[in-house]
Amino acid sequence: MSTPPKHLPAEERRAATVEAVVQLAAEQNPSEITTSAIAQHMGLTQGALFRHFPSKEAILEAVMGWVSERLLSRVDRAAAAAPSPLAALEAVFMAHIDFVAEHPGVPRMLFGELQRAGSTLPKRMAQAMIQRYDKRLRRLLEAGQAAGEIDAALDVQAAAVAFIGGIQGLVMQSLLTGQVAAMRDAAPGLFALYRRGLGAAS
């Protein structure tokens, strides 16, 4: 159980709550995480928790915001440091895998939100993040085509879907086997297959 200091500024307490939820999601079904479990994990009372979040839904909204900001900024930094569009795609792929390996609760949260019935705000936030990610991938793929690194006849939208699908498949396999760290070992080979599908030179 995490035991942060009892008296933290409101913003730090909110951040600590988000991190607690992500940690709990790595260990159990996110749908079964209660506010009582979150408070216990943090060494707080539920009353103390509700001073910073009015409801569990508000906590989930904060978690989705955290995931979106952290993941997208991570892949943006990876892409910006790469010397070419194709290298940027590979860097984004590896950065995404690293992020999930560090925070295995994140895909559990995302899959859980996307499967929820109805249109909740956390679910819409998860969908919006995927759309923003997809736009980044399409820009890199189109830049790769313009640079002659990627087949000009490639279906960019299908390639973006395949990119995300490859990561999701690898993540799902690792969660099922319980070998999350193995994602990093498998990622280079998987990206090599994806790269060949782009019509890119070895």
Side-chain angles (χ1 to χ4, degrees):
M1 181 177 71
S2 177
T3 55
K6 296 289 185 182
H7 303 290
L8 289 176
E11 197 58 36
E12 289 184 32
R13 177 66 72 204
R14 288 172 63 85
T17 303
V18 167
E19 291 174 10
V21 174
V22 172
Q23 290 169 9
L24 285 169
E27 303 165 3
Q28 65 185 91
N29 186 334
S31 67
E32 297 174 357
I33 297 174
T34 63
T35 53
S36 176
I38 297 168
Q40 183 178 5
H41 186 82
M42 298 176 69
L44 301 173
T45 64
Q46 284 194 74
L49 186 63
F50 284 126
R51 280 199 291 273
H52 301 283
F53 292 96
S55 64
K56 182 181 177 182
E57 193 80 355
I59 295 174
L60 294 177
E61 290 168 18
V63 171
M64 286 300 108
W66 182 92
V67 170
S68 180
E69 190 278 328
R70 295 294 180 92
L71 177 57
L72 293 179
S73 64
R74 176 82 66 98
V75 300
D76 283 346
R77 288 195 303 272
S84 71
L86 187 58
L89 281 169
E90 183 170 9
V92 166
F93 193 93
M94 300 307 169
H96 192 149
I97 294 297
D98 280 341
F99 181 81
V100 174
E102 292 167 17
H103 307 288
V106 165
R108 290 175 180 270
M109 295 290 298
L110 285 172
F111 291 146
E113 287 304 319
L114 292 171
Q115 292 177 52
R116 288 176 71 180
S119 179
T120 65
L121 180 54
K123 180 177 180 178
R124 293 196 299 273
M125 291 172 72
Q127 292 169 330
M129 184 196 72
I130 292 172
Q131 291 169 357
R132 291 168 64 194
Y133 196 122
D134 177 77
K135 288 180 180 178
R136 284 162 165 77
L137 293 176
R138 285 190 279 117
R139 282 198 298 266
L140 288 175
L141 288 161
E142 289 166 357
Q145 289 177 315
E149 293 186 314
I150 295 173
D151 185 351
L154 181 78
D155 183 333
V156 168
Q157 186 57 56
V161 170
F163 184 102
I164 295 173
I167 291 176
Q168 289 175 335
L170 187 56
V171 169
M172 184 64 72
Q173 184 179 50
S174 73
L175 292 176
L176 289 172
T177 61
Q179 299 176 328
V180 175
M183 282 189 294
R184 288 190 171 109
D185 296 330
L190 184 58
F191 186 82
L193 288 174
Y194 177 76
R195 178 187 177 113
R196 289 178 63 184
L198 299 179
S202 300

